[in-house]
Structures are given as structure tokens and as C-alpha cells.
Amino acid sequence: MEPRIIIVDDHRLFRAGLRFVLEKKNFQIVGEADDGRAAIRLVAKLKPAAVISDISMPGCDGIAFTRQIHREFPDVKVLVVSMHNETRFIMESFAVGASGYLLKDSGIEEISSALEVVLAGRKYIGSNVADVVVGRAVAQWLSESRCELPKISCREREVLQLVAEGKSTREIAASLYVSVKTVETHRRQIMDRLNLPNIAYLTKFAIREGITSDRKSTRLNSSHSSPSR
């Protein structure tokens, strides 16, 4: 059975072009609307599999429309096709329930491909907005991360890795060709900078940050149960 689709956009020429391409791709266009309120009534009446919606529309914008569709008709997929590439529009669309987002200048063929993806239950991010999404995700990660590792020197990182690998103070000193006192100083500086009370916490920190391998972590959890070194 051909997937039932509704197109919501206030530009008649865009709707006509999109209908032409999608029908050739074996999608069934069961309705069109030029504003959000009319589209909500159509969705309630026709129960489509998906809706292709713009962001900027009269009556009820695409964000409010998507939110209401997701709340009242959770099985209906919403693919946002917009001229807006600002982060806030992209993120808010997904936050309120959109299954995909791409720009109008991405081409009607890509819209068809995106529709197939969202109908299969997956998310779709247009190639021309992916940089925006990745940039936002990286910025958010940096803001939420404590970013402890940049505070640690290369030598301190070497000490931290060897501590996490279960090496004793003497073994670390021998590996790095430094004195035991130097190793103890480095270790204390690391714990002070990271506000960690003992070696057990230092080891857990190293494992969490990927400074030691998962293969070693099981052994370390037992060997560092108390700060004996």
C-alpha cells in the first residue's frame, strides 16, 4: 500500500512540484494545506502516515503544528522542510517531535529519500543542516563537560595512565625514568587539580575518560579498592 502523505506549505508552486515527484515515487498525496490549522484538521480527518511541513506558515507555525501532531497523533511522522538553517529552528523541531529536518534548497529528490527514512522509523538530518547540528552538539558537550584533561600536562597524563594500569609508585618511576618522589608529586598534583580524594577515585576517573582500556578496568576495580600505594 502506498504511504499516505499530507503536504503543508504556503507556497503553492512548491507543493505542486513536491506532489509531482512524490507521486512518481509511489507516495500517495492525500491532502494539502497552506497553514498549520488547516493541516491539523486534515491530519485528524485523513490519518496520514507522514506530513511534510514548513516552519514559517500563517495561522499556526511549523513548530506549534509539529508539537500538536506529535501529542495528538504520535504515529504520524513529521518531516520538516524549511528555508531556515538556524540552530534554534532545527533543535526545537526535533524537540517537539519532528522525525526529520532538511532545507528546501536540498532538492525535491532528497525530500523523497528523507521521507522514506522517517517512514521507516528513523531520524533524518539533511546534508545541508548536518554541520549546524554537529556544531551545536559539540558546543553543548564542551559546555557540559568538566574539561579536566586540558589541565593535565603530558607527563601527568603518563603518570595517570600508569596509575590506572595498576602500576606501583616504584614501577611508574622506573617506567618514566624519574624518582619515586617525582611520581608522588605528579600524582598529588593531579588529584588536587581534579579534586579527587585518593587513588581509587583517580583510577575511576582515568577509566571514565578513556585513559585506560576497558579490558584493564575490571582488574583495576578490584586492585584499587583501597588507596594502598
Side-chain angles (χ1 to χ4, degrees):
M1 181 181 296
E2 297 176 347
R4 294 161 56 83
I5 310 298
I6 289 176
I7 301 173
V8 187
D9 195 285
D10 58 347
H11 291 90
R12 182 180 299 175
L13 186 60
F14 178 79
R15 296 200 312 268
L18 189 54
R19 172 188 279 270
F20 176 77
V21 171
L22 293 180
E23 287 181 339
K24 291 185 67 174
K25 297 284 187 178
N26 294 322
F27 292 103
Q28 183 183 3
I29 309 303
V30 295
E32 296 181 18
D34 59 5
D35 70 80
R37 290 195 182 96
I40 291 170
R41 292 193 295 269
L42 272 181
V43 172
K45 178 182 178 180
L46 301 175
K47 302 296 191 300
V51 178
I52 299 174
S53 174
D54 195 1
I55 288 287
S56 300
M57 298 185 295
C60 177
D61 65 51
I63 299 296
F65 167 76
T66 300
R67 181 186 292 109
Q68 186 166 344
I69 294 301
H70 184 65
R71 183 176 62 244
E72 298 183 10
F73 310 97
D75 292 335
V76 177
K77 310 299 183 183
V78 177
L79 174 62
V80 176
V81 181
S82 173
M83 60 181 288
H84 298 291
N85 66 348
E86 292 89 344
T87 303
R88 66 185 184 94
F89 289 115
I90 301 168
M91 294 301 184
E92 191 171 6
S93 293
F94 282 111
V96 299
S99 293
Y101 194 109
L102 68 165
L103 301 183
K104 286 186 175 179
D105 63 7
S106 58
I108 293 180
E109 286 292 337
E110 186 180 0
I111 297 174
S112 173
S113 299
L115 193 55
E116 293 176 352
V117 170
V118 302
L119 285 170
R122 303 192 303 273
K123 301 293 185 184
Y124 186 91
I125 299 174
S127 56
N128 45 14
V129 297
D131 288 345
V132 177
V133 175
V134 171
R136 173 60 181 269
V138 170
Q140 183 175 352
W141 181 85
L142 289 174
S143 67
E144 293 177 353
S145 171
R146 289 189 295 273
C147 298
E148 290 112 332
L149 291 182
K151 303 174 185 176
I152 301 175
S153 69
C154 290
R155 174 62 80 186
E156 288 169 342
R157 186 185 178 104
E158 289 178 314
V159 171
L160 177 57
Q161 181 171 351
L162 291 170
V163 168
E165 290 175 0
K167 303 294 185 182
S168 69
T169 302
R170 291 186 180 278
E171 288 172 329
I172 295 172
S175 296
L176 300 179
Y177 302 100
V178 297
S179 68
V180 168
K181 185 174 182 179
T182 297
V183 173
E184 292 173 342
T185 299
H186 282 313
R187 191 173 60 199
R188 173 51 55 191
Q189 288 175 339
I190 296 169
M191 290 191 293
D192 288 346
R193 290 179 185 177
L194 302 179
N195 194 28
L196 299 173
N198 54 46
I199 298 176
Y201 280 92
L202 188 64
T203 301
K204 291 178 181 179
F205 167 82
I207 294 171
R208 189 188 72 222
E209 296 295 331
I211 297 175
T212 188
S213 68
D214 293 336
R215 179 178 58 82
K216 296 170 182 173
S217 63
T218 301
R219 175 173 57 84
L220 294 173
N221 285 336
S222 58
S223 64
H224 285 295
S225 57
S226 62
S228 59
R229 292 178 178 168

Short mmCIF file of all heavy atoms in Angstrom, two decimals, residues 127-151:
data_model
loop_
_atom_site.label_atom_id
_atom_site.label_comp_id
_atom_site.label_asym_id
_atom_site.label_seq_id
_atom_site.Cartn_x
_atom_site.Cartn_y
_atom_site.Cartn_z
N SER A 127 21.63 16.90 4.63
CA SER A 127 23.08 17.08 4.47
C SER A 127 23.49 18.53 4.65
O SER A 127 24.59 18.83 5.11
CB SER A 127 23.51 16.59 3.08
OG SER A 127 22.77 17.25 2.06
N ASN A 128 22.59 19.45 4.32
CA ASN A 128 22.95 20.87 4.42
C ASN A 128 22.63 21.48 5.79
O ASN A 128 22.82 22.67 5.98
CB ASN A 128 22.26 21.68 3.32
CG ASN A 128 20.80 21.31 3.15
OD1 ASN A 128 20.21 20.64 4.00
ND2 ASN A 128 20.21 21.72 2.04
N VAL A 129 22.15 20.68 6.73
CA VAL A 129 21.99 21.18 8.10
C VAL A 129 22.79 20.33 9.09
O VAL A 129 22.82 20.63 10.29
CB VAL A 129 20.51 21.21 8.56
CG1 VAL A 129 19.72 22.17 7.71
CG2 VAL A 129 19.89 19.83 8.53
N ALA A 130 23.45 19.30 8.60
CA ALA A 130 24.22 18.41 9.48
C ALA A 130 25.32 19.17 10.21
O ALA A 130 25.57 18.94 11.40
CB ALA A 130 24.81 17.25 8.69
N ASP A 131 25.99 20.10 9.51
CA ASP A 131 27.06 20.87 10.15
C ASP A 131 26.53 21.68 11.32
O ASP A 131 27.19 21.83 12.35
CB ASP A 131 27.72 21.81 9.14
CG ASP A 131 28.59 21.06 8.14
OD1 ASP A 131 28.89 19.88 8.40
OD2 ASP A 131 28.95 21.66 7.12
N VAL A 132 25.33 22.22 11.17
CA VAL A 132 24.72 23.01 12.24
C VAL A 132 24.44 22.13 13.45
O VAL A 132 24.73 22.49 14.59
CB VAL A 132 23.41 23.67 11.75
CG1 VAL A 132 22.74 24.44 12.89
CG2 VAL A 132 23.69 24.60 10.58
N VAL A 133 23.89 20.94 13.20
CA VAL A 133 23.54 20.02 14.29
C VAL A 133 24.80 19.54 15.01
O VAL A 133 24.86 19.52 16.24
CB VAL A 133 22.74 18.82 13.75
CG1 VAL A 133 22.49 17.80 14.84
CG2 VAL A 133 21.42 19.30 13.15
N VAL A 134 25.82 19.15 14.24
CA VAL A 134 27.06 18.68 14.85
C VAL A 134 27.72 19.80 15.65
O VAL A 134 28.21 19.58 16.76
CB VAL A 134 28.02 18.14 13.77
CG1 VAL A 134 29.39 17.84 14.38
CG2 VAL A 134 27.46 16.88 13.13
N GLY A 135 27.73 21.01 15.08
CA GLY A 135 28.32 22.14 15.78
C GLY A 135 27.64 22.41 17.11
O GLY A 135 28.29 22.67 18.12
N ARG A 136 26.32 22.33 17.12
CA ARG A 136 25.57 22.54 18.36
C ARG A 136 25.85 21.43 19.37
O ARG A 136 26.01 21.69 20.56
CB ARG A 136 24.07 22.59 18.04
CG ARG A 136 23.16 22.65 19.27
CD ARG A 136 23.43 23.87 20.13
NE ARG A 136 22.57 23.88 21.30
CZ ARG A 136 21.37 24.47 21.35
NH1 ARG A 136 20.93 25.13 20.29
NH2 ARG A 136 20.65 24.45 22.44
N ALA A 137 25.91 20.19 18.87
CA ALA A 137 26.17 19.07 19.77
C ALA A 137 27.55 19.18 20.41
O ALA A 137 27.72 18.92 21.61
CB ALA A 137 26.05 17.75 19.00
N VAL A 138 28.55 19.57 19.62
CA VAL A 138 29.90 19.73 20.15
C VAL A 138 29.94 20.86 21.18
O VAL A 138 30.55 20.73 22.25
CB VAL A 138 30.90 20.00 19.01
CG1 VAL A 138 32.26 20.41 19.57
CG2 VAL A 138 31.05 18.77 18.13
N ALA A 139 29.30 21.97 20.86
CA ALA A 139 29.27 23.11 21.79
C ALA A 139 28.61 22.72 23.11
O ALA A 139 29.07 23.11 24.19
CB ALA A 139 28.54 24.29 21.15
N GLN A 140 27.53 21.96 23.02
CA GLN A 140 26.84 21.53 24.23
C GLN A 140 27.70 20.58 25.04
O GLN A 140 27.77 20.67 26.27
CB GLN A 140 25.51 20.86 23.87
CG GLN A 140 24.70 20.44 25.09
CD GLN A 140 23.33 19.89 24.69
OE1 GLN A 140 22.94 19.95 23.54
NE2 GLN A 140 22.62 19.35 25.66
N TRP A 141 28.38 19.67 24.35
CA TRP A 141 29.25 18.73 25.06
C TRP A 141 30.36 19.47 25.79
O TRP A 141 30.68 19.17 26.94
CB TRP A 141 29.85 17.73 24.08
CG TRP A 141 30.76 16.73 24.75
CD1 TRP A 141 30.39 15.57 25.36
CD2 TRP A 141 32.17 16.82 24.90
NE1 TRP A 141 31.49 14.93 25.86
CE2 TRP A 141 32.59 15.67 25.61
CE3 TRP A 141 33.12 17.77 24.50
CZ2 TRP A 141 33.93 15.44 25.92
CZ3 TRP A 141 34.45 17.54 24.82
CH2 TRP A 141 34.84 16.38 25.52
N LEU A 142 30.95 20.48 25.13
CA LEU A 142 32.02 21.24 25.75
C LEU A 142 31.52 22.02 26.96
O LEU A 142 32.21 22.16 27.96
CB LEU A 142 32.63 22.20 24.73
CG LEU A 142 33.47 21.55 23.63
CD1 LEU A 142 33.89 22.59 22.60
CD2 LEU A 142 34.70 20.87 24.22
N SER A 143 30.30 22.55 26.86
CA SER A 143 29.76 23.34 27.97
C SER A 143 29.40 22.46 29.16
O SER A 143 29.49 22.89 30.31
CB SER A 143 28.52 24.12 27.52
OG SER A 143 27.45 23.23 27.22
N GLU A 144 29.00 21.20 28.90
CA GLU A 144 28.61 20.31 29.97
C GLU A 144 29.78 19.52 30.55
O GLU A 144 29.74 19.08 31.69
CB GLU A 144 27.55 19.32 29.47
CG GLU A 144 26.23 19.98 29.12
CD GLU A 144 25.22 19.01 28.55
OE1 GLU A 144 25.62 17.85 28.32
OE2 GLU A 144 24.06 19.39 28.37
N SER A 145 30.81 19.37 29.74
CA SER A 145 31.97 18.62 30.20
C SER A 145 32.78 19.45 31.18
O SER A 145 32.88 20.67 31.07
CB SER A 145 32.86 18.25 29.00
OG SER A 145 34.09 17.70 29.45
N ARG A 146 33.39 18.78 32.13
CA ARG A 146 34.24 19.49 33.09
C ARG A 146 35.57 19.86 32.45
O ARG A 146 36.30 20.70 32.97
CB ARG A 146 34.48 18.61 34.31
CG ARG A 146 33.26 18.44 35.18
CD ARG A 146 33.65 17.75 36.47
NE ARG A 146 34.11 16.39 36.22
CZ ARG A 146 33.30 15.33 36.15
NH1 ARG A 146 32.01 15.48 36.30
NH2 ARG A 146 33.78 14.12 35.94
N CYS A 147 35.90 19.21 31.33
CA CYS A 147 37.13 19.53 30.59
C CYS A 147 38.36 19.45 31.50
O CYS A 147 39.21 20.34 31.50
CB CYS A 147 37.04 20.91 29.94
SG CYS A 147 35.72 21.05 28.73
N GLU A 148 38.46 18.36 32.30
CA GLU A 148 39.58 18.26 33.22
C GLU A 148 40.91 17.99 32.51
O GLU A 148 41.94 18.49 32.90
CB GLU A 148 39.34 17.12 34.22
CG GLU A 148 38.24 17.42 35.22
CD GLU A 148 37.04 16.52 35.01
OE1 GLU A 148 36.84 16.10 33.86
OE2 GLU A 148 36.32 16.24 35.98
N LEU A 149 40.87 17.19 31.46
CA LEU A 149 42.12 16.75 30.85
C LEU A 149 43.02 17.87 30.35
O LEU A 149 44.23 17.75 30.47
CB LEU A 149 41.82 15.76 29.73
CG LEU A 149 41.27 14.40 30.20
CD1 LEU A 149 41.08 13.49 29.02
CD2 LEU A 149 42.20 13.76 31.22
N PRO A 150 42.50 18.97 29.79
CA PRO A 150 43.41 20.03 29.38
C PRO A 150 44.21 20.62 30.53
O PRO A 150 45.23 21.26 30.31
CB PRO A 150 42.46 21.08 28.79
CG PRO A 150 41.30 20.29 28.29
CD PRO A 150 41.14 19.20 29.32
N LYS A 151 43.80 20.39 31.80
CA LYS A 151 44.53 20.91 32.94
C LYS A 151 45.73 20.04 33.27
O LYS A 151 46.54 20.39 34.12
CB LYS A 151 43.61 20.97 34.17
CG LYS A 151 42.35 21.79 33.97
CD LYS A 151 41.45 21.66 35.19
CE LYS A 151 40.12 22.37 34.98
NZ LYS A 151 39.20 22.16 36.12
#
